[in-house]
Structure formats: C-alpha cells, structure tokens
Amino acid sequence: MGIPLADEVRGEIAEVVAQLRRGAGADDLRWSAPEGWHITLQFLGSAGDEQLECLKASLAQVRSVPVPVGLGALGSFERAGVVFVDVEVKAELAALQQQVVAATSKCGFVAEERPFHPHITLARAKGRNRFRGVPAPRSWGANPPKFSGFEAGEFLLYESFTEPAGSRYEVRGRFALGEG
C-alpha cells in the first residue's frame, strides 16, 4: 500500500539513479524499476481473495486531504542493504498512514512495531556482506541531489511479485485523497 510518485519526481530520481548505477559498488545492487517506486504506507504481506475485498472496502472509507510530500536526501539502511530516498514525515502523511493502518486492521492485518519511516526504495543489495552504502559519485561532493516535493492525490493498493530482476507491482485498488 503506498503513494505513487509524481511524474516530475520520478524523472528527477531516474536521473540520479542513472548516475548512481555508474558508481563504485553499483553492480552489487539490484535496482528497482522506476514504475515500482512508491512511498509505502503499510506493508501487508500475503492476502487472500476475501482479505483483498475487505481491504478495498475498508480503504475506500479512508478520508484525507491531499497529502503534501517532501523528499529528503539519499540514504541507506545498512543492515538491510537498501538504498532509498528519504521522505519527510509531515502531519498529513502521518495521519494518512495511521488511517490506513486502522483500515487494514479491520481485515486482519497487524501494523509493524517499528516507527513509520517513509522512503522510496531504489535498490537492494544482492548480498548483505557486499553492501557498501550509497554509491554516490564524487562529483556531487558537498552538493548531493535534491528532489522536488509534490501533492499526493491518491494512494494505491499494490500487489508485489518477486522476480529475478527485482520486484514488480500491480495496482489492485486506487483511493482518492481530497475528502478530508
């Protein structure tokens, strides 16, 4: 379940990823496809047909104003071997995430105990023992890339499929924001 990126932001991130893919250590990473980039609100795991229908009905009841999304810096979860773009936790985003968790709990899903840390996953390490962090080009120096913010007008229910080249996502439901 997540927020899709605005086309402009997807383009900005794609330019940065193209540079990262030429950096040292980039071959040790499995890069996510741009069409799969999103901001996860809640990871659900497996769901049967009955749960999927429950999710669609319950999520359709979520009411939120459009959500302003601010993007931060490139970062990594060292232990998990993940390269990401950080997302600012603004009040509207936190409120939406809490509503989504409440809606999914009606269908038998349990929220993670870790604090909400929204991000956009760009790559995962092929082997954690080879992960060396973000393969940033030296040319960036003290000027790392900055990304535009955007206003999210919807969130999506995704189904993910793990494949040798990485995860592939299919949209199973769309839920409009703007009815706060």
Side-chain angles (χ1 to χ4, degrees):
M1 180 115 32
I3 296 173
L5 304 184
D7 289 340
E8 176 185 350
V9 172
R10 188 180 312 279
E12 291 171 359
I13 293 173
E15 288 179 23
V16 169
V17 166
Q19 294 174 40
L20 292 174
R21 290 182 80 146
R22 293 190 296 269
D27 291 341
D28 294 337
L29 298 168
R30 186 176 7 266
W31 294 89
S32 303
E35 54 274 7
W37 293 338
H38 63 276
I39 301 163
T40 301
L41 295 169
Q42 183 181 7
F43 178 76
L44 300 176
S46 298
D49 291 340
E50 215 170 279
Q51 275 187 309
L52 182 59
E53 292 311 311
C54 178
L55 284 169
K56 289 179 182 179
S58 190
L59 291 168
Q61 301 304 310
V62 170
R63 296 291 177 259
S64 171
V65 297
V67 174
V69 176
L71 301 182
L74 289 168
S76 64
F77 296 126
E78 297 287 329
R79 292 177 65 195
V82 173
V83 176
F84 63 85
V85 173
D86 201 28
V87 176
E88 298 171 15
V89 182
K90 296 185 178 187
E92 298 90 343
L93 179 59
L96 174 62
Q97 191 265 346
Q98 290 171 356
Q99 284 192 63
V100 164
V101 168
T104 63
S105 70
K106 296 173 186 174
C107 303
F109 293 94
V110 178
E112 289 187 50
E113 292 186 15
R114 293 182 289 187
F116 181 48
H117 184 179
H119 61 278
I120 303 161
T121 300
L122 304 180
R124 295 183 184 279
K126 292 178 182 174
R128 288 189 186 141
N129 59 340
R130 298 189 317 196
F131 185 62
R132 291 178 252 168
V134 180
R138 291 177 198 249
S139 61
W140 289 351
N143 297 311
K146 296 191 182 342
F147 305 102
S148 300
F150 65 98
E151 186 173 85
E154 67 178 345
F155 67 97
L156 308 178
L157 175 60
Y158 293 100
E159 183 175 359
S160 64
F161 301 90
T162 304
E163 299 176 344
S167 295
R168 176 177 56 84
Y169 297 90
E170 290 184 13
V171 176
R172 296 295 182 223
R174 291 182 174 274
F175 308 94
L177 301 174
E179 302 165 19

